[in-house]
Amino acid sequence: MNAARAAVAVLVLAGLLIFSASQSQPAPLEITQKPIMFGTLRRQLTLEYIQRHYDPHATSITFQPVMIVVHWTASSSLQSAWNEFNPERLTGRADIASAGQLNTSAPFLIDRNGAAYQLMPETLMARHAIGLNRRAIGIENVGNDDLTGAQVETDARLIEMLAQRYPVQYLIGHLEYGRFRGSALWEEREADYFTVKPDPGADFMRRLRLRLAKDGWHFKARL
Ligand SMILES: [Zn+2]
């Protein structure tokens, strides 16, 4: 083969590789910004929560994520879930009210049709998983024990995107978070502060992990 032919062969091969790579890459996940209130009050309540539960000397509400925790909202519509997360101060929720005034939230909310929404920056701490809020990014799925295949698909694509952005090693459903109680990752300073959770269901987590494995993604579910 002369040099010119070799060059053409290399170009054709490169073209084929680029073509096959573009075939296997899905379009980037579309995420609609739907911000909740995150003003001075929420920042102050977040820092108070961190100082009380994790580190009395903390001065920052940002963190480096190493985990993703998946939830269901227990509300039936996107808007009702958003309405619950939007206020900066917690109201109702007698089960956790004594542990601080910061309202619950999560950076990502996935509608039943798989549409993805971002509510706040994912590196600011959200109150969604006792003991692990400065470890984990939360993904909330609209619904209850009836989450959809479209939500499995979007959760998987979002998790893959986040794992490319941050050193994410762990993926759990909220129902599994007790496994980390007392571990090196668990930051909670109040030993009795813990609630048993069913979300997002063992079956949803099984389907989500299968979907991620299809793309070659495997995360730890315990230390
Ligand atoms: Zn949850």
Side-chain angles (χ1 to χ4, degrees):
M1 199 184 292
N2 64 31
R5 276 191 174 180
V8 168
V10 165
L11 283 174
V12 168
L13 256 178
L16 280 171
L17 282 173
I18 289 165
F19 178 73
S20 60
S22 67
Q23 288 293 294
S24 62
Q25 291 294 316
L29 180 63
E30 245 183 70
I31 302 176
T32 303
Q33 300 299 314
K34 194 173 169 62
I36 54 174
M37 280 192 286
F38 213 113
T40 312
L41 179 60
R42 199 171 207 128
R43 287 178 178 274
Q44 180 200 326
L45 295 175
T46 303
L47 187 59
E48 283 174 16
Y49 186 96
I50 291 171
Q51 289 172 340
R52 171 173 166 182
H53 292 281
Y54 301 151
D55 175 7
H57 307 295
T59 56
S60 165
I61 65 169
T62 65
F63 71 105
Q64 171 85 310
V66 296
M67 179 187 287
I68 290 168
V69 179
V70 182
H71 305 262
W72 68 40
T73 60
S75 44
S76 55
S77 76
L78 178 81
Q79 196 57 43
S80 61
W82 188 90
N83 290 347
E84 272 190 39
F85 296 139
N86 184 43
E88 299 182 305
R89 198 187 292 274
L90 185 75
T91 52
R93 295 298 306 265
D95 56 333
I96 57 168
S98 65
Q101 294 186 60
L102 173 64
N103 192 18
T104 57
S105 69
F108 297 102
L109 179 59
I110 312 303
D111 203 356
R112 300 188 58 75
N113 63 2
Y117 296 85
Q118 181 152 17
L119 278 47
M120 56 178 274
E122 69 266 21
T123 50
L124 297 184
M125 196 208 80
R127 183 179 184 179
H128 66 98
I130 292 168
L132 300 170
N133 286 316
R134 285 204 306 179
R135 308 298 194 200
I137 294 173
I139 301 176
E140 291 277 358
N141 291 277
V142 176
N144 212 299
D145 57 359
D146 56 351
L147 299 185
T148 67
Q151 286 171 313
V152 171
E153 184 66 25
T154 297
D155 281 36
R157 291 178 61 196
L158 178 57
I159 290 164
E160 290 172 9
M161 186 196 85
L162 293 170
Q164 284 165 348
R165 196 178 291 172
Y166 306 107
V168 174
Q169 295 182 55
Y170 304 92
L171 168 66
I172 58 171
H174 202 182
L175 78 167
E176 299 165 321
Y177 86 123
R179 292 173 184 175
F180 288 86
R181 212 175 171 186
S183 77
L185 286 179
W186 191 261
E187 288 200 286
E188 182 56 52
R189 301 170 76 228
E190 296 179 14
D192 294 339
Y193 182 36
F194 186 82
T195 53
V196 175
K197 290 291 185 177
D199 64 307
D203 185 58
F204 187 80
M205 289 309 296
R206 185 186 56 79
R207 290 157 69 197
L208 180 57
R209 289 183 173 117
L210 274 175
R211 176 64 188 82
L212 286 162
K214 258 179 68 180
D215 289 345
W217 288 95
H218 303 274
F219 298 94
K220 293 189 247 180
R222 56 181 78 241
L223 268 185

